[in-house]
Amino acid sequence: MTFETSGPAQSPPEPPAPSLGDYTPFTHLTVPNAALYRQVMRAFLAAKERFAVHLRPEDVHAALDADTRPGDIESVVKALDSLVGWGNLRADPDHARVTAVEDFYRRRFIYQLTRAGEAAEVALGTYDEALGRRGELQAVALHDIVTQLRALLVIAGEGKPDPAKAHIALSVLTARFTDLADNARAFMGSLQRTIDLHDIEVEAFLAYKDRLIQYLERFIQDLITLGGRIALLIGELEEQGRVEPLLSLAAGREAADAAPEDAEHAEAVAYEKWAARWFGLAQWFVSGEGRESQARLLRGRALSAIPQLLAVVRQLNERRAGRSDRSADFRTLARWFAQAPDDAARHRLWRAAFGLYSSRHLTVDADTLAERVAVPEPASTPWAEARPLRISPQLRRTGSYERRGKPRRVADRGAAKRRLAEIAARQAGEARQARERLATGGPVRLSRMGELDPLAFQLFLRLLGDALATWRPGMTTTAATSGDGSMEIRLTALDDGRTAEVRTPDGVFRGPDHVIDIVDLTASHSGRFTPAPVPRQGTSAQLTPQPTEDR
C-alpha cells in the first residue's frame, strides 16, 4: 500500500548557528510576552539540570508557574515556535507517538535548547545575580588568607616541596582572596547606594543603620589587625625568593595532563596565570611607592562611610522635624511663582528673592556721580532713553582703578624648609628610637618593662589601644598591628594576680601583669621589644601620677 502525499508535516526551519556578535537569542527580552518567554527558557534550563534534553509542549506547559502560565497549550506552542525562530530552541519532528497515518501528518515537535539559547540564559542568570548581589565584608576570609600564607611558608621551607600541597594551598589562597575582593567591591557599591537612599526605604534605613555601623567597625578592626600581618607574610615570602618555586610547582601540576607536544607551552601559560594572581594579591595588601594598597583604600572608604551614614540619619531627622532646607525653599518659591497673578508680580517676586536689580549703581567717575545726584535718573527709565554713563578711560582699558606698583619680592623660604626637614628628621629618629626601646625580642612579663620616656610611652599606649580593640570576653591571648603597620603586639593574660608597673617621668602606669611581645616590623632583625599591658575582662589599667625627683 502506498500513500501519495505532499509529504509529512515539516519542522520549522533550523536557524543557522549565531556567529560572534549576533545577539538574536536575546530578542525575546524586548518583545511582548517577554515574561512568558523567560519562563519557557528557565523550564528548559531546569530540565537540562535533570539531564532531560527534549521537551514536548505539554511538558513545558506543566513546568510553568501555575499562577502565570497560559490557560491553553497553544500559547505555549506559539512561544516555542518564536524561540525557535530566534535561535534559542531547536525543533525536531516528534515521531515517537505516531500510531496512525493522521498522527504522521499532524504537527508534532519536540524541542531542545541550542548552544546560543543556553549561552543567553547563562548570561541573563549572571546579570540577575550581579544585579541582586549586595556583597559582604568577609573577615573570615582574612583569617583564611593568613592561614594559607603560613602554610606556604612551611611548604617552601621544606627541602623538596610537595607540588600537590603547594598547588592546593595556592588554589585555596586564590579562591579566598578572589571571593574577598569581589564581595568587598559589591558591598561598597551597595553601601554607597544605601547612603544615597536610592534603593532603600527610610524606615528600613533607620532600623538598619546601627547594625551596619557595627558591622563596618568590626571589619575595620579585623582589616587593621590582619592586613598588616598578611603584608608581612607576603613580604617574607618574596624576600626569601620562595614565591617563584611555589608558582612553578603549581603550574607544572596543572600542565601535567597536557599533550606532550603542548606540555611546555601549557606550563608557561599556567605559570603566567599564577604569577598574575600572586601579583594581584600582593597589590591588594602591600602599598608601593606612590600607590596605596586596595586594603588601605577599602579601610579608608569604610571609615568614611560611617560619618556619611550618620549625616544621612541627621538629614532624615531634620526632614522629619520639619526643618527647612534649600530644596524645600526652592519648591515653595516655585509654587509662589505659579500662583502669581501676572508677570509684573513675578518680576517683583524675582527681585525680592534673588536681589537682582539694575546695574546703574556701579561705580563710575566723580563727575558722573555728581551729575546723577543733581539730576537723578529713575530706575524705570529704559536703557535706550537714559543718559549715557561716562566711565574713566583707565577703567575701560584695564578694568580697574588701581595703579599697579612694583611686585613684591619673592621671599626666600629655604631656611624655613631646612628647619622643617630637620624637625621631620628628628621626629623620625625619635620614633625609631621609641620602636627600638619597645621591641622585646620575645615574650616577657609586663612588669619587667622598666621606665619609659614620654615618646616611647605614647607609642606604648597606642599599641595597647590597638590590642584592646581586638579583645573579646573569654580571650586570654590577642595580637594587633599598629595603624601604620610598623609594630605588632601580642598579649597573654596571667592568672597569678600580680600587678605590673610601668614608670614614666609623669607618673606610674599600673595594671594586671601580662606576658607581652612587641615586634618592630620595620627592623631587619628583632630588637628589644616591650609592649603595653592589656587588661583582662573585668580589670582595668590606671595611670597614677607620682611626683618624681626631677620635677
Side-chain angles (χ1 to χ4, degrees):
M1 181 182 296
T2 60
F3 296 94
E4 295 181 1
T5 65
S6 58
Q10 300 295 321
S11 62
E14 176 71 17
S19 59
L20 293 178
D22 182 7
Y23 303 112
T24 306
F26 292 96
T27 305
H28 67 287
L29 301 176
T30 58
V31 296
N33 295 327
L36 175 60
Y37 295 132
R38 289 300 311 277
Q39 290 187 54
V40 170
M41 294 302 295
R42 281 194 289 265
F44 276 92
L45 281 181
K48 186 174 182 180
E49 293 177 357
R50 301 191 303 269
F51 305 102
V53 179
H54 298 90
L55 291 180
R56 294 182 173 89
E58 53 268 25
D59 299 330
V60 178
H61 185 267
L64 299 180
D65 189 2
D67 297 332
T68 58
R69 66 187 174 193
D72 58 337
I73 198 173
E74 291 301 324
S75 300
V76 176
V77 173
K78 292 179 180 179
L80 292 171
D81 292 340
S82 297
L83 290 169
V84 170
W86 294 320
N88 301 78
L89 300 177
R90 172 184 170 180
D92 295 309
D94 184 10
H95 300 308
R97 294 184 298 174
V98 175
T99 59
V101 176
E102 292 79 6
D103 294 337
F104 185 76
Y105 292 102
R106 188 174 301 169
R107 193 172 185 269
R108 292 177 181 274
F109 300 108
I110 54 176
Y111 301 86
Q112 71 177 75
L113 275 174
T114 62
R115 290 176 53 191
E118 183 179 359
E121 286 305 307
V122 171
L124 291 173
T126 304
Y127 172 80
D128 292 336
E129 180 183 358
L131 191 63
R133 182 182 183 184
R134 295 189 63 87
E136 56 188 7
L137 298 176
Q138 297 176 317
V140 176
L142 294 172
H143 291 275
D144 294 343
I145 291 173
V146 172
T147 301
Q148 295 304 321
L149 287 174
R150 288 175 175 170
L152 287 175
L153 278 174
V154 174
I155 295 172
E158 299 175 354
K160 188 176 181 181
D162 187 349
K165 293 181 179 179
H167 182 251
I168 293 174
L170 284 171
S171 298
V172 175
L173 174 65
T174 302
R176 296 301 286 149
F177 164 67
T178 303
D179 196 29
L180 169 69
D182 292 343
N183 276 280
R185 283 193 293 268
F187 178 84
M188 296 312 296
S190 63
L191 176 61
Q192 186 60 53
R193 290 191 293 271
T194 301
I195 293 174
D196 296 338
L197 293 180
H198 288 167
D199 62 348
I200 192 170
E201 297 294 334
V202 174
E203 296 295 339
F205 174 77
L206 293 177
Y208 174 61
K209 57 93 177 175
D210 289 334
R211 290 178 294 161
L212 180 59
I213 292 176
Q214 294 175 3
Y215 181 73
L216 288 172
E217 290 176 343
R218 184 169 63 253
F219 177 78
I220 291 170
Q221 292 174 2
D222 291 333
L223 187 60
I224 292 175
T225 304
L226 299 175
R229 196 176 306 173
I230 292 173
L232 180 64
L233 291 171
I234 292 175
E236 187 174 351
L237 280 167
E238 291 182 343
E239 288 175 1
Q240 298 177 4
R242 300 177 176 180
V243 177
E244 289 77 7
L246 293 175
L247 299 181
S248 298
L249 289 175
R253 191 166 186 265
E254 280 192 0
D257 296 331
E261 62 272 13
D262 297 333
E264 184 176 353
H265 176 71
E267 184 173 355
V269 172
Y271 181 83
E272 291 181 1
K273 292 181 179 178
W274 280 112
R277 294 167 185 169
W278 180 266
F279 179 77
L281 174 67
Q283 292 281 312
W284 216 88
F285 288 101
V286 181
S287 300
E289 183 177 356
R291 178 193 58 81
E292 287 188 313
S293 65
Q294 292 296 321
R296 186 180 294 271
L297 293 176
L298 176 61
R299 184 176 65 186
R301 182 66 189 88
L303 285 172
S304 65
I306 295 177
Q308 291 180 15
L309 287 169
L310 297 177
V312 171
V313 174
R314 184 169 58 253
Q315 181 182 2
L316 292 175
N317 290 333
E318 290 177 355
R319 291 181 182 177
R320 289 186 164 190
R323 292 186 57 178
S324 176
D325 56 13
R326 181 169 297 180
S327 60
D329 292 341
F330 278 121
R331 286 193 294 269
T332 301
L333 183 61
R335 186 167 55 254
W336 289 350
F337 271 104
Q339 296 172 353
D342 51 30
D343 287 344
R346 295 186 184 93
H347 284 297
R348 290 195 299 272
L349 179 59
W350 175 271
R351 288 194 294 268
F354 299 103
L356 299 178
Y357 301 96
S358 170
S359 60
R360 292 193 177 95
H361 63 284
L362 291 176
T363 303
V364 293
D365 59 8
D367 296 337
T368 304
L369 288 177
E371 183 180 356
R372 292 298 184 187
V373 172
V375 184
E377 188 75 50
S380 59
T381 305
W383 284 101
E385 301 176 4
R387 289 171 296 168
L389 295 177
R390 294 180 175 83
I391 301 175
S392 168
Q394 180 182 356
L395 178 62
R396 186 183 299 112
R397 288 194 307 270
T398 63
S400 174
Y401 281 119
E402 297 180 1
R403 293 185 178 181
R404 302 183 182 276
K406 294 182 179 180
R408 297 181 59 182
R409 299 182 61 182
V410 178
D412 184 8
R413 305 189 185 278
K417 291 182 179 179
R418 287 191 296 272
R419 175 61 177 165
L420 291 176
E422 293 173 358
I423 294 174
R426 185 177 72 252
Q427 291 177 347
E430 293 174 350
R432 183 175 60 257
Q433 293 176 2
R435 291 196 299 269
E436 294 174 353
R437 169 66 181 87
L438 290 179
T440 58
V444 297
R445 277 184 171 265
L446 178 60
S447 55
R448 297 180 55 189
M449 178 174 292
E451 184 173 353
L452 295 178
D453 59 84
L455 187 60
F457 184 65
Q458 291 177 8
L459 180 58
F460 171 76
L461 289 181
R462 288 198 296 270
L463 284 171
L464 175 61
D466 293 337
L468 288 177
T470 65
W471 198 275
R472 300 291 185 271
M475 293 176 59
T476 59
T477 302
T478 187
T481 305
S482 61
D484 58 358
S486 62
M487 304 200 74
E488 185 179 36
I489 179 172
R490 302 184 185 91
L491 295 175
T492 302
L494 300 175
D495 297 330
D496 54 8
R498 296 180 56 182
T499 301
E501 293 186 353
V502 179
R503 297 187 177 275
T504 71
D506 298 324
V508 180
F509 186 85
R510 293 187 178 90
D513 201 5
H514 286 66
V515 173
I516 189 168
D517 185 10
I518 302 180
V519 180
D520 183 4
L521 302 178
T522 62
S524 58
H525 59 278
S526 300
R528 186 177 179 278
F529 174 82
T530 307
V534 176
R536 297 178 59 191
Q537 183 70 16
T539 64
S540 61
Q542 58 181 352
L543 181 62
T544 307
Q546 299 283 341
T548 61
E549 296 179 359
D550 296 338
R551 295 175 60 182

